Amino acid sequence: MLRFGLRSKFIVLSCFLFLLPWLGYEYVWEMEKFLRQGQEKTLVGTTRALATALHERPALFDEQTNFLDQVIKGRDLYAYNLKNPIQLDGKLTDWEPYKALFWHYDKRYLQKTNKNHQASDLSFDHMVGKFDNYLYAVFNVTDNTLIYRAKNSLSITNNDHLKIGLKAPDGQFNTYIIAPRQDGWVNAFNADTKAPFTKIQGYFKRTQTGYTVELRFPLAMLGNKLGFAIVDTDSLSELPNANVMSTSNLNNPSDLGSVLVPSPEISRILKGMGHSGSRIWVVDNHHRVLAQSGTIQNADGVWADGLKNQPPKNAWQRFEQTYLHPLYYKILTRPENEFIDTLHDVASMQGSHLANALKGQPASSWRLTPDSKAVILSAAYPIWIEDKVIGAVIAEETTNGVRTLRNKSLEKLFNVILAVMLIGTVTLFFFASRISSRIRRLRDTAEQAIDAQGRVTGSISYSDSNDEIGDLSRSFANIVSRLGGYTDYLENMSSRLSHELRTPVAVVRSSLENLQSLEQTELSQKYLDRASEGVERLGKIITTMSEATRLEQSIQSNDPEPFDLRSVINGCMQGYLLTYPKQLFTLDICPNSLPMQGAPEFIAQLLDKLINNALEFSQANTAINVTLQSKDTQAVLSVSNTGPLLPEGLSEHIFDSMVSVRSQHMQQQPHLGLGLYIVRLVCDYHKGSVTAQNNTQNNGVTFTVSLPLAN
């Protein structure tokens, strides 16, 4: 029969508990991959839908997106969308967020080439921006010598000035000049009529390295051509040779650079897409943004709809939010809404997706933000007018929605894993508790079946369970049963031997005695003496074996009685002094009585074995020390002698049966190693203990017996 054992159970449970979280985690990651693919397809669909609304509508696109063969940064200007109106104060504080968009003009933009020109002579940083119905322009000019317009001068060009050239919506080319007399508010002059032109307003401010100019004028006066020039006249004598640094050539209207202002018509169309969860751009075929809708920080698509954190509604949700989520998000990462996205210059959008879209192919791409806090998906779709790609629609989203959905799924997965782990742990706990209780029960039964001396005193009740512990209990029961039979055989062998040997020994002894009565030769008498000596040794062995057996039987049937331990020890020692007159004894016996419950004859036998042991191992002309003292509720008997030390590791085993540490030359008399075994039997009967150890001088052995006194 196939047995489903403990090992198999643990393996199956372990594999199950290990595979469950791993499979769940892998499933969520695969789900995220499919969600990202779905997000990519959805975003391409969004751009396609918007591009469809812009197909074949040339009126929405300014003609400049078609007639320019190429767009040159610095010459062709782009009016960036401004988040707030600019305060005209010359401090440039409002332009600080757009500093990265400033274009630097150096000697490459001089109207006349000058190899000796230095940046400190003339250079400037510039950008234009749009807010509401106004176009704003800023100039941060570096000029080592600033020449203001003289107060009494009617000329507006015999000084440092800013020249503006633009093409009006009706196609007329106009030029204007900003020529300040001092720092502060300025207006433009018509370059042809020298009349003030108040629609162009600005602020002029001198700086340590030159000056700054901020301008504002209505978008209604601007067509698709715009250029600026900074004229630097270091002295009146140099007026014909003044340095002119410009964005484009203002002297020839055909050379004037273009300007692109984001289309309000397309912006209105995009405004309807503001709730799509995407940031959307419309780009012309020169990579310039015509309109924009949405912000990337909020562009997480439709994937996170309904997944925003809601206040907990019940106790479980409060527990989950307070205790579990902080634990989960040590592993998971929350999507960041605050991240840096500086990859886009809307005057020159880049990307493989845009390049493919302008070639007529829809495309998408993924990129990581510079601070590595978010992943942005970009999709582009071409805009067609007739058979020509006029631009592209770009939509961008972060993966925050997908990541939020993934986190929510992992939260649910972790909850399930915790529940399964908790149930599994409780199940395994009870399972392990049951196993451990069965093992402990088997251990206790095994310990109770064999006593401290190795005797089998009981049996093991085996289990019928069809597992490893059941097998083990049955094996233990079988082993203990066989060991019990063998132990009984060994225990009874000494009594059987002594009984069986007494008769042949008696026959041999009587025969030797009969032979001794006959006349013998010297040689035969020698053999008779040796045979008699052997019989005597054999008789002593039988007596010793019988003595141990009788003592064990007596202990089992003896009833304890009260007696004075001091009197027993004192009486025995008086007898030893008479029996061994040549041996020196030192006695230290307490004067008070030591009442005990037990058998005084057993105590006498104990002392007899200890004294005999000390006599056998004691060196010549040395004393045997015997002390008897009372310590708390114990009587402590100590017998020590000077002689050989105990072998290492045998101090605990010399009280076992059949153990002897005598060397070969000391085996003059038969010895079975039962003397100290009898000492231990007597101590166990009186609920005492006996120890043997080398003395502190390391020149002998001390035996210490502790016996409890009667109350």
Side-chain angles (χ1 to χ4, degrees):
M1 182 176 64
L2 181 63
R3 183 172 58 222
F4 194 64
L6 296 177
R7 181 185 301 174
S8 301
K9 294 176 184 176
F10 277 117
I11 291 175
V12 171
L13 286 174
S14 300
C15 292
F16 172 73
L17 293 178
F18 174 76
L19 286 176
L20 181 65
W22 181 78
L23 290 174
Y25 194 75
E26 288 297 317
Y27 172 78
V28 172
W29 277 108
E30 287 297 321
M31 180 193 71
E32 183 181 6
K33 292 179 183 178
F34 286 113
L35 287 177
R36 288 195 178 193
Q37 293 176 5
Q39 183 181 18
E40 187 173 357
K41 298 297 183 183
T42 302
L43 197 60
V44 173
T46 300
T47 59
R48 180 179 181 178
L50 185 56
T52 301
L54 299 176
H55 287 329
E56 307 301 335
R57 299 178 67 178
L60 294 176
F61 298 89
D62 195 278
E63 63 177 3
Q64 62 182 314
T65 61
N66 295 315
F67 75 84
L68 291 176
D69 293 331
Q70 63 176 340
V71 172
I72 300 175
K73 195 75 178 287
R75 184 198 71 178
D76 298 297
L77 305 179
Y78 181 87
Y80 294 92
N81 277 317
L82 302 176
K83 297 180 180 179
N84 300 292
I86 301 298
Q87 183 178 358
L88 303 179
D89 54 9
K91 296 180 180 180
L92 307 186
T93 304
D94 295 337
W95 297 96
E96 195 67 31
Y98 313 101
K99 275 294 184 67
L101 303 175
F102 280 32
W103 190 259
H104 181 68
Y105 294 81
D106 53 20
K107 62 181 181 181
R108 296 173 297 171
Y109 295 88
L110 287 172
Q111 292 296 308
K112 295 181 180 179
T113 304
N114 182 359
K115 295 182 179 179
N116 298 323
H117 182 82
Q118 301 292 326
S120 59
D121 296 336
L122 181 63
S123 61
F124 66 94
D125 296 323
H126 163 65
M127 75 165 283
V128 292
K130 167 189 172 292
F131 183 83
D132 201 7
N133 295 319
Y134 287 94
L135 184 77
Y136 292 85
V138 61
F139 303 87
N140 187 9
V141 182
T142 299
D143 185 0
N144 53 10
T145 304
L146 173 60
I147 304 298
Y148 287 102
R149 180 163 64 95
K151 293 184 179 181
N152 298 323
S153 174
L154 297 177
S155 173
I156 58 175
T157 57
N158 291 339
N159 47 265
D160 292 347
H161 59 274
L162 168 64
K163 189 175 182 179
I164 306 170
L166 59 85
K167 185 179 179 181
D170 59 2
Q172 183 179 354
F173 177 71
N174 300 314
T175 57
Y176 304 93
I177 291 177
I178 302 293
R181 285 195 172 98
Q182 60 184 5
D183 291 0
W185 190 264
V186 294
N187 289 110
F189 294 91
N190 189 300
D192 297 327
T193 64
K194 306 297 188 295
F197 188 78
T198 57
K199 289 186 178 181
I200 299 179
Q201 303 169 336
Y203 197 94
F204 185 95
K205 182 178 181 181
R206 186 168 189 162
T207 63
Q208 293 181 350
T209 57
Y211 57 91
T212 59
V213 180
E214 291 179 310
L215 295 178
R216 178 185 66 189
F217 57 90
L219 286 172
M221 62 179 291
L222 179 64
N224 57 13
K225 293 282 189 175
L226 178 65
F228 299 95
I230 299 293
V231 181
D232 178 27
T233 58
D234 287 347
S235 65
L236 293 177
S237 60
E238 297 179 359
L239 183 59
N241 300 316
N243 286 329
V244 179
M245 185 175 290
S246 62
T247 62
S248 58
N249 186 7
L250 273 64
N251 296 322
N252 186 354
S254 61
D255 293 337
L256 196 63
S258 66
V259 60
L260 177 63
V261 178
S263 170
E265 292 82 3
I266 299 178
S267 296
R268 281 193 289 271
I269 295 175
L270 292 188
K271 188 175 181 181
M273 301 294 294
H275 302 289
S276 65
S278 306
R279 178 172 68 175
I280 301 175
W281 318 78
V282 176
V283 182
D284 68 6
N285 55 0
H286 296 296
H287 296 241
R288 297 182 298 180
V289 174
L290 302 178
Q292 175 188 352
S293 174
T295 59
I296 193 61
Q297 281 73 19
N298 296 324
D300 53 8
V302 299
W303 306 94
D305 292 349
L307 296 178
K308 302 299 182 182
N309 288 330
Q310 301 292 334
K313 298 179 180 179
N314 50 49
W316 164 249
Q317 291 181 353
R318 286 192 293 271
F319 174 80
E320 184 181 17
Q321 191 175 79
T322 305
Y323 298 103
L324 296 183
H325 286 180
L327 179 63
Y328 295 163
Y329 283 94
K330 291 184 180 296
I331 303 173
L332 304 177
T333 56
R334 294 183 185 275
E336 292 280 353
N337 289 326
E338 298 297 329
F339 54 85
I340 300 174
D341 179 33
T342 58
L343 296 183
H344 284 314
D345 180 359
V346 294
S348 181
M349 292 280 285
Q350 301 297 328
S352 59
H353 58 292
L354 177 57
N356 289 331
L358 293 178
K359 294 177 182 178
Q361 296 294 327
S364 60
S365 65
W366 299 83
R367 61 183 172 86
L368 188 66
T369 58
D371 55 5
S372 301
K373 291 184 177 180
V375 176
I376 296 177
L377 168 64
S378 301
Y381 199 90
I383 301 173
W384 298 88
I385 294 180
E386 296 181 353
D387 294 330
K388 183 179 180 181
V389 176
I390 197 66
V393 176
I394 299 175
E396 293 184 330
E397 292 179 359
T398 66
T399 59
N400 288 355
V402 173
R403 292 172 64 189
T404 300
L405 184 60
R406 179 203 66 188
N407 287 350
K408 292 294 183 181
S409 300
L410 286 175
E411 288 174 13
K412 299 298 183 183
L413 174 64
F414 290 162
N415 289 341
V416 173
I417 291 174
L418 284 179
V420 171
M421 288 293 188
L422 181 61
I423 295 173
T425 301
V426 172
T427 303
L428 287 176
F429 174 76
F430 285 109
F431 185 59
S433 299
R434 181 173 177 272
I435 291 175
S436 61
S437 64
R438 292 174 63 192
I439 293 175
R440 285 195 302 269
R441 191 161 55 246
L442 180 59
R443 178 205 62 192
D444 296 340
T445 305
E447 289 181 350
Q448 294 170 2
I450 301 176
D451 63 11
Q453 288 73 45
R455 290 190 181 91
V456 178
T457 58
S459 62
I460 295 180
S461 57
Y462 60 86
S463 171
D464 293 330
S465 299
N466 195 25
D467 56 16
E468 284 82 353
I469 297 180
D471 282 347
L472 186 62
S473 67
R474 289 188 288 272
S475 297
F476 276 11
N478 189 21
I479 291 172
V480 169
S481 176
R482 287 183 290 173
L483 184 59
Y486 184 67
T487 303
D488 290 339
Y489 168 76
L490 292 179
E491 289 178 345
N492 296 323
M493 185 177 65
S494 61
S495 61
R496 293 194 190 101
L497 285 176
S498 61
H499 176 73
E500 295 296 332
L501 290 176
R502 285 186 184 279
T503 300
V505 168
V507 172
V508 173
R509 180 181 289 113
S510 62
S511 299
L512 290 176
E513 290 175 352
N514 292 331
L515 287 174
Q516 287 284 5
S517 63
L518 301 176
E519 185 177 353
Q520 303 291 332
T521 63
E522 182 179 354
L523 181 60
S524 62
Q525 185 64 42
K526 178 180 179 182
Y527 289 142
L528 283 174
D529 293 340
R530 291 177 61 182
S532 299
E533 182 180 352
V535 170
E536 290 298 325
R537 290 170 60 89
L538 186 59
K540 289 183 178 180
I541 291 174
I542 295 173
T543 302
T544 303
M545 293 171 59
S546 301
E547 182 183 16
T549 303
R550 287 195 304 271
L551 180 62
E552 292 178 353
Q553 295 172 352
S554 299
I555 286 176
Q556 294 176 0
S557 59
N558 188 77
D559 294 327
E561 62 181 60
F563 67 94
D564 183 10
L565 178 63
R566 177 184 176 280
S567 300
V568 174
I569 299 299
N570 193 33
C572 291
M573 290 307 302
Q574 296 300 323
Y576 296 140
L577 292 175
L578 297 175
T579 305
Y580 307 105
K582 295 182 179 181
Q583 177 62 47
L584 180 61
F585 290 93
T586 61
L587 304 178
D588 183 10
I589 299 176
C590 65
N592 301 325
S593 63
L594 300 174
M596 281 188 61
Q597 285 284 339
E601 64 274 14
F602 292 166
I603 297 297
Q605 197 168 3
L606 175 148
L607 184 59
D608 185 54
K609 298 302 180 184
L610 291 178
I611 294 298
N612 286 336
N613 185 78
L615 289 171
E616 291 183 15
F617 287 94
S618 183
Q619 293 180 356
N621 301 321
T622 59
I624 296 175
N625 304 314
V626 179
T627 63
L628 178 64
Q629 299 294 333
S630 173
K631 185 177 182 181
D632 297 331
T633 60
Q634 298 282 326
V636 180
L637 173 64
S638 175
V639 178
S640 62
N641 65 278
T642 303
L645 301 178
L646 290 173
E648 186 176 356
L650 279 179
S651 59
E652 297 294 332
H653 299 287
I654 60 173
F655 298 101
D656 294 340
S657 178
M658 302 294 183
V659 175
S660 177
V661 297
R662 288 167 174 77
S663 59
Q664 190 65 32
H665 72 276
M666 297 181 65
Q667 297 287 352
Q668 301 297 328
Q669 298 293 330
H671 196 279
L672 297 180
L674 295 172
L676 296 180
Y677 171 66
I678 292 174
V679 172
R680 194 193 67 190
L681 289 178
V682 174
C683 288
D684 291 344
Y685 171 75
H686 291 89
K687 297 180 175 55
S689 63
V690 59
T691 60
Q693 59 185 4
N694 298 324
N695 59 26
T696 56
Q697 293 79 19
N698 211 31
N699 61 355
V701 179
T702 300
F703 288 84
T704 304
V705 177
S706 296
L707 300 172
L709 296 174
N711 296 329

